[in-house]
Amino acid sequence: MTQDNPHLSRRTALRTVTGAALVSVAGCLNNGDSPGSGNSTPSDEEGIIQQVTVEGTELVIEYTSEEGVDQINLVQPNGELFGQQETAAGSQQVSFEIGTSYEPGEYTVVALSGEETIAESSSLIQPEIGIQDVGLYRNNPEKSWDEVYGDTETDRLKNGEAYVTVENTGSGPEAVVELIFTGDVPNPVEDPRGSGMYETEQVVISPGETTDLFSSSFPFGSESEEGMGCSPDGNSGQFTVTVRTQVGGDQVSKTFDVQYSGSTEMSDCEVSITEA
């Protein structure tokens, strides 16, 4: 991808001339198909831009080579040029690496033949992160704990480790950069050192992807002075899980009911978590 002129005006970037086909379409990104599914809607009557998809952190544009497409421009929501790609002979695809620092919003793909704009399409590229589930190590042995921590770590994690399942239902990639537990957990961490996720500063989630975040703060570990834990008579309360994202700059939270019963030792405690 080349970005030699990142502050070109929208007019310059589009190179629009009288009679050019200017058709707005979302391709795979907003036609009702699941993000990244590969399904598409033609972007114009001639079908010059055939589909626009997000694959991982790349925006992939497929076009027909029969119309003499020489260059593909990508214009940001603010009207400035994000990048431009010259097309290779016989090729029908170009891609732009948008990463996880892009500006969410409507992006415009412009196909050029020489100086003439021959097709244009618009696509909304915007992530949407939601928290789906929270669980403990000891209640979910089927999770890929060993792949994350290794065999030597698993015994000590059984008493306090938790996972948080998140899903990206939007149309753009997102990065989770912080995981926080607050409320009625034995070891609440409101401001974790680092990201709060095990040995990583961020977890990238592609459109349509669901993934598990593994905490490093041991929220269900040894009880802190102000934390809630087990007792022979039982305990109940609520806790909140918060994830902070990079692209949207959002803090997404979800609250859960929790019940503790059994021994005063967390290692022998029965913990039940349900959505609040």
Side-chain angles (χ1 to χ4, degrees):
M1 177 180 69
T2 58
Q3 297 186 33
D4 296 331
N5 300 292
H7 300 292
L8 288 179
S9 68
R10 181 178 178 85
R11 178 177 298 177
T12 302
L14 297 182
R15 296 186 191 173
T16 304
V17 298
T18 303
L22 302 180
V23 182
S24 178
V25 74
C28 295
L29 294 174
N30 63 0
N31 66 351
D33 297 315
S34 61
S37 64
N39 297 321
S40 66
T41 296
S43 63
D44 52 81
E45 293 181 359
E46 294 79 13
I48 296 173
I49 301 175
Q50 297 186 321
Q51 73 174 25
V52 180
T53 58
V54 174
E55 298 179 5
T57 58
E58 286 190 331
L59 185 69
V60 180
I61 301 152
E62 295 185 17
Y63 59 92
T64 176
S65 60
E66 296 177 358
E67 300 297 329
V69 178
D70 300 319
Q71 183 173 299
I72 300 290
N73 285 2
L74 181 62
V75 182
Q76 301 178 82
N78 63 5
E80 294 183 356
L81 182 66
F82 180 88
Q84 55 191 25
Q85 294 277 14
E86 294 183 358
T87 61
S91 174
Q92 294 182 306
Q93 178 177 297
V94 297
S95 62
F96 294 87
E97 175 64 39
I98 59 175
T100 55
S101 298
Y102 65 94
E103 176 189 354
E106 187 173 274
Y107 282 71
T108 302
V109 176
V110 184
L112 302 170
S113 179
E115 294 295 316
E116 179 182 355
T117 296
I118 59 175
E120 177 186 343
S121 68
S122 296
S123 299
L124 180 65
I125 306 178
Q126 181 170 301
E128 186 70 32
I129 295 295
I131 297 171
Q132 302 299 314
D133 191 23
V134 174
L136 276 68
Y137 178 102
R138 58 175 172 263
N139 295 339
N140 297 272
E142 76 281 0
K143 293 289 183 179
S144 57
W145 303 93
D146 288 351
E147 295 178 15
V148 178
Y149 299 103
D151 293 336
T152 59
E153 298 274 356
T154 55
D155 286 340
R156 75 182 184 89
L157 295 173
K158 288 181 180 179
N159 295 334
E161 182 58 286
Y163 72 89
V164 178
T165 303
V166 294
E167 181 182 11
N168 185 356
T169 59
S171 55
E174 181 60 280
V176 174
V177 294
E178 193 169 37
L179 175 63
I180 304 170
F181 286 80
T182 57
D184 296 326
V185 293
N187 186 28
V189 179
E190 298 185 10
D191 185 18
R193 289 173 293 179
S195 67
M197 297 177 292
Y198 187 79
E199 290 191 350
T200 183
E201 292 301 316
Q202 67 174 26
V203 174
V204 177
I205 308 172
S206 302
E209 182 181 4
T210 299
T211 191
D212 291 328
L213 310 175
F214 294 87
S215 73
S216 63
S217 59
F218 297 92
F220 296 93
S222 299
E223 182 177 348
S224 65
E225 293 181 0
E226 298 179 357
M228 173 178 284
C230 263
S231 73
D233 297 329
N235 255 330
S236 64
Q238 288 187 335
F239 68 91
T240 299
V241 175
T242 300
V243 296
R244 186 167 64 86
T245 64
Q246 178 169 296
V247 175
D250 300 321
Q251 289 197 3
V252 180
S253 299
K254 192 169 187 176
T255 299
F256 295 83
D257 292 323
V258 60
Q259 291 186 336
Y260 306 95
S261 59
S263 169
T264 56
E265 296 294 329
M266 281 303 297
S267 58
D268 298 320
C269 186
E270 293 184 10
V271 182
S272 175
I273 299 172
T274 57
E275 289 189 24

